[in-house]
């Protein structure tokens, strides 16, 4: 029950035991094309989706490297560990980073993005996050995309923990680049970054001269049926199976399932008298403030040691203050009910003022509805 790496369905896990297929073989090319096509459905795009053998952060760095040059201005929506990661990557690559500092636990106000863009007309891109895993916030990506559309800047979105959980429509909303990773909503092991690129992004990157080699998008796009270098073959084979499961369920149903799981979790937490850290529902993860006097690590440790359920504490400056329950990917109502039931027992033994059953009952009522 962590927000990633997430549980892997047995059908996907078993693919890992199959022999490696050579990445220049016809057999693999067919699989690669199938995976690329099915990824487009998940990103809701007609644009190409690159498959890079790296993790989400590698995909983020590659995005900055390909869509901006050293010295250029980039605007970053920061309000958690992962929004801030865009800023850190930008600064380490000598971009001029303008931050929009959003209070942690809150979604960004799209008007602030419009204002920063108006003040920094030279900005080549705005980087944001669909679901900020560290705080459990879902940001309003659609309205921000619409307002950036009329500017010269590109909109680059980290959908690492959002893809396959939160509603995301790349083309419809006008997002220029979306970067995902294999180990979250896509129900695979870590090791792949998936990057969808709009036409505007593909045109822009042709004029960028900054240094790049392994992560050159132009190189990756030059052959749609293979990767320039040896890819993470095993995970691509697993991703093929995972995408089959996702498309069988259907994107609308996947989004709805996550919304219901998140709703039940939030409602259960509130009925236990605990405070939610985030002001928005986040389909991937729920962040909860630890009750006064109890460190979040005490809760996560007991959850694992006593009940075998892995939830996570906070990150960054709120490390000890919150714990997070992931409900992402291969996850259903039973998982939530068990997690809430175990959490109640853990909180009770830690002397938190809760009543056993209050959270479970609230979640049950949501699921019955
Ligand atoms: N962005 C978000 C929103 C994430 O949740 C994560 C991983 N937790 C990352 C980026 C970084 O991805 P990775 O750990 O795969 O490099």
């Amino acid at each position: 029950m962590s927000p990633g790496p997430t549980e892997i369905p047995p059908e996907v896990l078993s693919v890992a035991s199959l022999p490696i297929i050579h990445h220049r073989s016809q057999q693999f090319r067919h699989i690669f094309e199938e995976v690329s096509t099915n990824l487009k459905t998940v990103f809701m795009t007609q644009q190409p989706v690159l498959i890079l053998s790296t993790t989400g952060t590698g995909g983020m760095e590659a995005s900055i490297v390909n869509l901006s040059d050293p010295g250029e201005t980039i605007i970053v929506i920061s309000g958690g560990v992962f929004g801030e990661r865009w800023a850190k990557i930008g600064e380490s690559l000598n971009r001029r980073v303008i931050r929009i500092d959003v209070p942690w636990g809150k979604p960004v106000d799209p008007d602030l993005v419009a204002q920063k863009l108006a003040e920094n007309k030279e900005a080549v891109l705005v980087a944001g996050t669909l679901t900020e895993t560290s705080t459990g916030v879902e940001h309003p990506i659609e309205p921000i995309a619409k307002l950036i559309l009329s500017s010269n800047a590109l909109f680059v979105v980290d959908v690492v923990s959002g893809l396959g959980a939160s509603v995301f429509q790349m083309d419809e909303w006008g997002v220029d680049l979306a970067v995902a990773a294999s180990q979250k909503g896509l129900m695979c092991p870590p090791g792949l970054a998936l990057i969808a690129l709009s036409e505007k992004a593909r045109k822009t990157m042709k004029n960028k001269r900054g240094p790049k080699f392994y992560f050159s998008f132009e190189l990756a796009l030059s052959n749609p049926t293979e990767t320039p270098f040896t890819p993470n073959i095993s995970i691509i084979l697993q991703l093929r199976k995972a995408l089959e499961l996702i498309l069988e369920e259907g994107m609308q149903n996947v989004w709805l399932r996550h919304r219901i799981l998140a709703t039940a979790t939030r409602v259960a937490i509130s009925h236990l008298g605990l405070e939610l850290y985030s002001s928005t529902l986040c389909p991937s993860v729920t962040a909860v403030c630890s009750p006064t006097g109890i460190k979040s690590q005490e809760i996560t440790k007991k959850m694992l040691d006593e009940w075998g359920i892995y939830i996570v504490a906070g990150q960054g400056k709120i490390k000890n203050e919150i714990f997070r329950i992931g409900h992402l990917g291969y996850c259903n109502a039973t998982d939530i009910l068990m997690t809430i039931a175990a959490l109640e027992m853990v909180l009770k033994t830690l002397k938190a003022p809760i009543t056993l059953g209050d959270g479970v009952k609230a979640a049950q009522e949501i699921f019955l509805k």
Side-chain angles (χ1 to χ4, degrees):
M1 302 300 291
S2 98
T6 61
E7 283 287 310
I8 301 176
E11 301 95 309
V12 175
L13 209 49
S14 64
V15 173
S17 65
L18 298 177
I20 293 297
I21 302 170
H22 195 278
H23 60 291
R24 303 292 177 217
S25 69
Q26 202 52 33
Q27 191 189 359
F28 186 76
R29 281 200 188 99
H30 285 314
I31 293 171
F32 191 77
E33 276 186 288
E34 181 191 319
V35 171
S36 303
T37 304
N38 287 343
L39 278 171
K40 291 183 186 185
T41 310
V42 177
F43 278 87
M44 296 274 150
T45 186
Q46 304 289 327
Q47 318 293 329
V49 183
L50 300 179
I51 302 173
L52 303 185
S53 292
T54 178
T55 68
T57 309
M60 292 167 77
E61 175 163 344
S63 304
I64 299 292
V65 163
N66 281 272
L67 297 187
S68 66
D69 273 339
E72 286 185 330
T73 301
I74 67 170
I75 297 173
V76 168
I77 302 169
S78 175
V81 169
F82 297 105
E84 188 52 27
R85 187 159 299 175
W86 280 125
K88 285 191 174 150
I89 292 171
E91 282 165 353
S92 71
L93 296 168
N94 295 329
R95 272 59 172 173
R96 183 172 160 259
V97 174
I98 307 284
R99 282 179 176 76
I100 300 174
D101 279 316
V102 183
W104 285 36
K106 298 271 185 296
V108 64
D109 176 356
D111 288 345
L112 272 182
V113 181
Q115 190 189 323
K116 279 280 185 226
L117 257 178
E119 289 166 9
N120 299 278
K121 293 208 167 55
E122 73 288 2
V124 293
L125 63 84
V126 177
T129 318
L130 174 59
T131 54
E132 175 52 74
T133 324
S134 65
T135 60
V137 166
E138 181 182 46
H139 287 289
I141 296 302
E142 183 179 7
I144 300 171
K146 297 261 147 74
L147 72 88
I148 294 177
L149 220 48
S150 55
S151 75
N152 291 326
L154 298 169
F155 190 23
V156 172
V157 184
D158 166 354
V159 298
V160 169
S161 67
L163 193 78
S166 287
V167 176
F168 180 70
Q169 297 181 278
M170 163 120 183
D171 288 359
E172 171 86 21
W173 295 357
V175 168
D176 293 299
L177 181 148
V179 49
S182 48
Q183 77 272 24
K184 308 259 179 178
L186 295 176
M187 310 186 293
C188 283
L192 293 177
L194 301 315
I195 301 182
L197 286 164
S198 74
E199 203 181 334
K200 188 173 161 191
R202 296 198 310 276
K203 272 195 190 139
T204 306
M205 77 193 191
K206 289 202 164 69
N207 302 320
K208 300 297 172 191
R209 295 278 162 261
K212 59 189 82 72
F213 183 75
Y214 186 76
F215 284 138
S216 160
F217 289 169
E218 278 203 90
L219 195 58
L221 282 165
S222 63
N223 188 342
T225 64
E226 16 179 297
T227 52
F229 314 107
T230 315
N232 204 329
I233 297 169
S234 194
I235 303 180
I236 293 175
L237 300 181
Q238 286 178 276
L239 182 57
R240 178 200 198 189
K241 188 70 197 173
L243 288 169
E244 208 179 288
L245 299 177
I246 290 171
L247 298 189
E248 206 174 275
E249 185 177 356
M251 289 313 293
Q252 302 288 339
N253 294 330
V254 167
W255 291 334
L256 181 63
R257 172 168 53 86
H258 283 86
R259 197 148 281 273
I260 294 170
L261 298 178
T263 305
T265 308
R266 277 181 86 81
V267 170
I269 292 300
S270 298
H271 275 75
L272 283 171
L274 301 189
E275 197 186 332
L276 291 155
Y277 185 73
S278 156
S279 62
T280 66
L281 177 142
C282 178
S284 329
V285 56
T286 298
V288 184
C289 302
S290 278
T292 317
I294 303 175
K295 269 194 178 166
S296 51
Q297 284 83 355
E298 292 178 76
I299 298 172
T300 55
K301 184 170 187 315
K302 271 187 175 291
M303 284 291 282
L304 184 63
D305 292 352
E306 294 170 14
W307 302 102
I309 296 177
Y310 195 92
I311 61 168
V312 292
Q315 286 175 289
K317 65 182 184 189
I318 49 170
K319 198 173 183 327
N320 302 330
E321 288 157 39
I322 66 163
F323 60 89
R324 295 169 298 149
I325 301 171
H327 26 70
L328 174 60
Y330 186 53
C331 184
N332 64 21
T334 313
D335 297 319
I336 301 296
L337 291 171
M338 286 198 293
T339 305
I340 300 295
L343 179 65
E344 288 178 357
M345 292 186 278
V346 164
L347 290 171
K348 192 83 193 165
T349 53
L350 288 170
K351 309 255 184 305
I354 61 124
T355 306
L356 287 179
D358 278 0
V360 171
K361 181 168 182 282
Q364 286 169 326
E365 278 163 3
I366 295 290
F367 291 133
L368 282 178
K369 246 194 251 170

